Amino acid sequence: MVAIKTLIVAEKPSVARDVAAVLGRFTKKDGWLENGQYVVSWALGHLVELAEPEDYDKSLKKWSLDTLPIIPQRFRIRPVEKTRKQLDILKRLLNSPEIGLVVNACDAGREGELIFRRVYAWCGCKKPVKRLWLSEATPAAVRKALSELRDGRYFDDLAAAAEARSQADWIVGMNATRAFTVRHGELLSVGRVQTPTLALIVAREREIREFVPQTYWEIWAIFQKTSGETYAGKWFKGDSDRLFDFKEAEAVVARAAGADAGRVVRVENKRVRELPPMLFNLNDLQKEANRRFGFTAQHVLDVAQALYEKHKLLTYPRTDSRHLTWAIARDTLASRLAAMAAAPEYAGLVPRDPAPLGKRYVDDARVTDHHAIIPTAIAPNLAALDQDARRIYDLVARRFLVAFYPEAVYAETLAVTEAGGETFFSKGRVELEPGWRMVYGREGVAESDDHALPSLVEGEPVSVEDVKPLEKRTKPPARFTEATLLAAMENAGRLVDDKDMADTLKSAGGIGTPATRASIIETLIRRAYIQRESKSLVPTGKGERLIDLVPEAVKSVELTARWEQGLMEIERGRMNAGQWLNGIKEFTKELVR
């Protein structure tokens, strides 16, 4: 009698080895691992992809407007030739009479679901499927996930969203690229998300190019108390604190400087509390690492992925959540903090008796596929990591630790001084309690303009020691860096005037997803639509030409966000994937006419 085994399919060999290490002793085979109860194998990323137009009809290899739009009645898939050997191995294993159950252990998200489902479909497998859902690759997490396998059908909506996203990108990209390339005699690659992202960069560059700087003046005064203490004040009137007419600025200076004395007309003292920042999702981690170290978004993802897969020090990085679940908070935070306390870099920063985290950080409703990126319960040996891995781990570790610290508290003083009928604003801020900022010390915290004002009392007289105008020029908006572009993609709702559309963009999470934004930037660079200049992203002539040629709908962040929202609705089981795709098809037909 044949022993019935369970086949576990991971997305990468490293994850397969992690699973096998937990399950027991395995014999290494060519493309899989095996023991008496389990067979563990792997994909190598996508082993199966959507077929090309010429796979449906050889005549479609020639690009022609007459054949557009190309919209298959039923999409076909085909092997990726460079990984065909591993696909053939999986086909044999999936259809082996020894295998009675299949476990999908591909990455726990939309893309991982798609990788497994396509392999399963290509191989013609009909065996029951369970889902292994991992948010971290530590042995304890693998054991727990193996004990909580779910029926694969529970993830049918996730799979439907993944397939719909892939088919939509094929329909829009394939047809639009052919249409614009043939019409304009130049290879012009168009994408559902990449083109609106390029449009943001081009629009910013043109704002900079068309910007006409203006000269203006700020007026600063130095006041002295009778005790001899001095403080500075900046002129203001109503909502304005600058003047564009030098004669007017000179008149203000003359009136204030000519006054016999000034007088403090308003003083407001208050305590200001500054909450610790939220936990990292991928987008925030990429922005912070770009701002601090100049890392590209793709590099941050690659390093964080290695810290998750290889070093087992971070949880799954491709997450859009800044929150934890109550179960994670209840069951795992103590062990994570204990692991960090074992590292000399963090031993003195781990609180001895931490209070439970509140809803600012722990909220099941704010966690989708994965919780925020946090350290695992494995003690880090930072000396064993390369410099970039140390930096990324340290960012996540300190952002995790500050959640257990109190607010920072400041004494803030706001004062208005009047002299010669003109008013001047002064602000002072002094740290009273460092709170969570202790975790950073002075390093890693943006330089602040904190400084103390002398003690001021409403009505007290002061002398005017000096008044002078400071000439300045208005500046154009800054070019996008990867950090600011990621922020613009995530917060695209701020770029539109229509409130309903802004709400749609906000609920859709902007354009792209945390897992795809880095690859979108790299694709635009690879296709020579943008280039890096130091930290900035600058459009090329080719990129600007494309934006000038495509219709508004193709470069619209609003349309892209609507599509992203539709995919989220499919994933949640609230929308039919076929209906959503019908909208994409109709859009594409209009596009190529």
Side-chain angles (χ1 to χ4, degrees):
M1 183 176 174
V2 177
I4 301 300
K5 298 182 178 182
T6 295
L7 171 63
I8 300 175
V9 181
E11 188 167 323
K12 303 177 188 74
S14 61
V15 179
R17 289 192 292 270
D18 292 339
V19 173
V22 166
L23 289 173
R25 298 177 65 180
F26 279 75
T27 303
K28 186 177 180 182
K29 305 285 186 178
D30 184 16
W32 75 94
L33 307 166
E34 188 168 358
N35 68 11
Q37 196 175 353
Y38 294 97
V39 175
V40 181
S41 190
W42 51 85
L44 296 164
H46 281 278
L47 300 181
V48 183
E49 63 186 0
L50 290 177
E52 293 290 315
E54 55 266 33
D55 295 321
Y56 297 91
D57 183 340
K58 285 188 171 49
S59 69
L60 293 176
K61 190 160 190 175
K62 181 184 178 184
W63 291 23
S64 168
L65 292 174
D66 296 337
T67 58
L68 301 181
I70 303 167
I71 301 176
Q73 283 290 107
R74 185 180 180 84
F75 273 91
R76 298 181 200 167
I77 52 178
R78 68 177 192 181
V80 176
E81 283 307 318
K82 67 179 180 181
T83 52
R84 182 66 185 258
K85 180 184 174 185
Q86 189 61 25
L87 179 62
D88 290 342
I89 289 167
L90 283 174
K91 185 172 183 178
R92 286 201 306 275
L93 294 173
L94 283 162
N95 293 307
S96 166
E98 285 191 2
I99 301 300
L101 174 68
V102 182
V103 174
N104 172 9
C106 290
D107 282 3
R110 198 188 278 173
E111 211 59 23
E113 198 66 26
L114 184 64
I115 287 169
F116 174 82
R117 298 278 182 135
R118 282 186 174 168
V119 168
Y120 184 83
W122 171 261
C123 297
C125 189
K126 303 294 183 187
K127 292 170 184 174
V129 175
K130 297 281 188 184
R131 187 55 157 112
L132 179 79
W133 195 262
L134 279 176
S135 284
E136 50 191 296
T138 61
V142 172
R143 273 191 293 274
K144 189 170 188 296
L146 284 166
S147 70
E148 298 174 344
L149 294 176
R150 286 176 163 178
D151 191 305
R153 290 171 294 187
Y154 179 85
F155 297 91
D156 283 352
D157 291 329
L158 179 66
E163 189 62 56
R165 193 274 311 156
S166 178
Q167 291 181 16
D169 285 350
W170 191 100
I171 292 168
V172 175
M174 190 71 68
N175 284 285
T177 297
R178 288 187 174 213
F180 290 106
T181 297
V182 172
R183 280 177 190 152
H184 303 289
E186 177 182 15
L187 180 58
L188 296 170
S189 174
V190 178
R192 184 178 61 87
V193 181
Q194 77 175 47
T195 306
T197 303
L198 174 60
L200 293 177
I201 299 169
V202 170
R204 175 62 58 86
E205 189 67 19
R206 288 176 174 174
E207 277 185 73
I208 295 167
R209 200 177 294 151
E210 294 163 10
F211 183 82
V212 178
Q214 288 182 278
T215 301
Y216 69 93
W217 288 265
E218 291 179 353
I219 300 167
W220 286 85
I222 301 296
F223 300 105
Q224 186 176 58
K225 290 166 56 74
T226 53
S227 62
E229 294 173 286
T230 61
Y231 65 97
K234 183 182 182 183
W235 174 87
F236 75 98
K237 185 174 185 179
D239 294 330
S240 177
D241 62 358
R242 59 180 64 177
L243 291 165
F244 288 88
D245 184 322
F246 183 60
K247 288 186 177 178
E248 195 176 342
E250 282 185 314
V252 170
V253 170
R255 283 192 290 271
D260 293 335
R263 186 170 60 89
V264 178
V265 294
R266 183 161 68 87
V267 178
E268 183 181 346
N269 293 302
K270 58 183 179 180
R271 287 169 72 92
V272 177
R273 298 180 177 275
E274 185 179 38
L275 290 167
M278 300 297 295
L279 299 171
F280 277 126
N281 62 15
L282 178 58
N283 215 59
D284 292 347
L285 179 60
Q286 288 168 320
K287 288 188 292 185
E288 184 70 3
N290 179 259
R291 184 184 69 79
R292 290 276 302 280
F293 312 123
F295 290 174
T296 68
Q298 187 62 53
H299 184 57
V300 176
L301 176 55
D302 292 343
V303 173
Q305 192 76 20
L307 286 165
Y308 160 68
E309 278 181 22
K310 179 181 176 184
H311 303 291
K312 316 292 187 284
L313 291 175
L314 294 185
T315 57
Y316 188 72
R318 297 169 187 261
T319 175
D320 62 356
S321 180
R322 299 177 177 94
H323 293 80
L324 305 175
T325 64
W326 287 105
I328 288 287
R330 182 189 65 232
D331 300 337
T332 75
L333 293 189
S335 59
R336 295 175 200 272
L337 289 169
M340 294 185 70
E345 294 85 354
Y346 307 112
L349 298 174
V350 176
R352 290 183 182 176
D353 188 21
L357 296 183
K359 196 155 184 177
R360 176 172 172 80
Y361 297 105
V362 184
D363 187 347
D364 287 10
R366 307 291 291 276
V367 178
T368 51
D369 291 345
H370 295 280
H371 56 68
I373 307 169
I374 57 174
T376 65
I378 291 181
N381 176 9
L382 297 193
L385 301 175
D386 65 38
Q387 184 185 53
D388 289 358
R390 282 198 301 275
R391 284 172 159 180
I392 295 300
Y393 181 82
D394 189 68
L395 284 181
V396 175
R398 291 179 192 272
R399 185 64 72 94
F400 175 64
L401 285 172
V402 299
F404 298 91
Y405 276 69
E407 305 155 327
V409 182
Y410 300 87
E412 189 172 271
T413 301
L414 308 176
V416 176
T417 306
E418 183 269 332
E422 303 294 343
T423 49
F424 297 81
F425 176 76
S426 305
K427 180 179 177 181
R429 193 167 95 144
V430 180
E431 184 179 85
L432 299 177
E433 300 169 24
W436 61 270
R437 287 190 174 272
M438 287 175 58
V439 174
Y440 292 99
R442 300 287 13 123
E443 184 184 349
V445 179
E447 286 296 316
S448 70
D449 57 356
D450 291 2
H451 62 276
L453 287 179
S455 176
L456 298 172
V457 178
E458 285 185 10
E460 75 171 288
V462 292
S463 61
V464 182
E465 292 298 297
D466 189 25
V467 189
K468 57 187 172 186
L470 189 62
E471 183 177 318
K472 293 194 171 185
R473 282 167 74 81
T474 56
K475 293 180 180 179
R479 280 175 166 165
F480 281 117
T481 63
E482 294 205 26
T484 56
L485 181 60
L486 290 168
M489 293 172 77
E490 182 183 26
N491 300 301
R494 296 175 186 172
L495 305 175
V496 298
D497 296 325
D498 184 281
K499 184 182 182 304
D500 290 340
M501 181 49 59
D503 290 343
T504 296
L505 282 158
K506 185 176 180 180
S507 64
I511 59 174
T513 66
T516 62
R517 287 176 188 137
S519 65
I520 289 163
I521 295 170
E522 294 302 322
T523 296
L524 289 170
I525 291 170
R526 192 172 62 251
R527 290 178 175 161
Y529 290 141
I530 64 173
Q531 58 193 19
R532 290 189 178 97
E533 291 185 8
S534 185
K535 279 189 177 185
S536 298
L537 298 171
V538 183
T540 62
K542 182 181 178 182
E544 293 201 46
R545 281 198 304 280
L546 176 63
I547 293 305
D548 287 337
L549 292 171
V550 297
E552 187 60 39
V554 177
K555 55 194 174 189
S556 158
V557 294
E558 293 96 329
L559 183 63
T560 305
R562 278 205 191 100
W563 286 344
E564 292 289 351
Q565 188 179 45
L567 288 169
M568 286 168 52
E569 293 296 291
I570 295 168
E571 197 169 309
R572 293 167 180 163
R574 298 173 186 165
M575 181 180 283
N576 177 273
Q579 284 180 309
W580 182 80
L581 273 169
N582 284 338
I584 299 285
K585 292 172 184 176
E586 289 305 312
F587 168 80
T588 304
K589 289 174 185 175
E590 291 292 324
L591 183 63
V592 300
R593 273 182 189 158

